[in-house]
Amino acid sequence: MVIEGNLDGKGLKAVIVLSRFNSFITERLLEGALDALGRHGAASPVIVRVPGAWEMPIVAAELARQKKYDAVICLGAVIRGDTPHFDYVAGNAASGLAHVSVETGVPIAFGLLTTNSVEQAIDRAGAKSGNKGFDAAMTAIEMVNLLRTLRDDGKPA
Ligand code: INI
């Protein structure tokens, strides 16, 4: 038996946590996520803007605890500079979001780019390497449906 989540977003309530830092990239990720949700039948998501990736875990935790949303989609871009700052911001965001997801049982999609250059970020925000915001939203839909199936009776729909 194989159990997996389908990509039907009908009735799905998502919330997007969107970082304003590097907004020329993150706004493209938002476009991708909205495209994916809309094309798979999900309702228009609530969008919560935060200053930067560092602030994402506490906001994602608050939203997940409210139990108003089926999934939290986090979109941001951390781009490496000349100092170790990148490692602290990206590392905290990644481990914080993983923790929130496991602790609350609410799927958190990790649409946070962590790149060595602006070019790599552009490539992943709608250019050569697709749009990671789109991918994160698709993952959110799949995970909501997978967890519903597992919490139901374990049988695929
Ligand atoms: N925040 C990001 O989302 N991306 C970055 O690339 C970034 N850099 O490079 O500094 C960044 N920093 C801000 C950080 O997320 C916090 O908003 C700030 O430190 C205030 O708490």
Side-chain angles (χ1 to χ4, degrees), residues 16-101:
I16 293 179
V17 178
L18 181 70
S19 169
R20 248 188 258 115
F21 206 101
N22 293 322
S23 62
F24 69 107
I25 296 292
T26 64
E27 292 298 328
R28 302 287 86 75
L29 298 176
L30 176 62
E31 285 171 12
L34 294 176
D35 187 30
L37 291 173
R39 286 165 60 183
H40 289 81
S44 286
V46 170
I47 299 166
V48 179
R49 289 182 190 267
V50 295
W54 179 268
E55 284 73 31
M56 284 182 162
I58 188 172
V59 173
E62 178 59 34
L63 294 165
R65 279 193 218 107
Q66 290 180 359
K67 301 285 180 205
K68 286 197 281 192
Y69 306 102
D70 300 311
V72 182
I73 301 169
C74 294
L75 303 177
V78 193
I79 301 174
R80 194 181 286 282
D82 296 332
T83 70
H85 192 68
F86 170 97
D87 300 297
Y88 291 103
V89 174
N92 179 69
S95 60
L97 292 174
H99 181 76
V100 171
S101 194

Side-chain angles (χ1 to χ4, degrees), residues 6 42 76 88 94 117 135:
N6 66 41
Y88 291 103
S117 67
D135 297 347

Side-chain angles (χ1 to χ4, degrees), residues 105-123:
V106 176
I108 310 254
F110 187 66
L112 178 66
L113 301 180
T114 55
T115 64
N116 290 324
S117 67
V118 171
E119 289 69 28
Q120 286 179 348
I122 292 169
D123 284 349

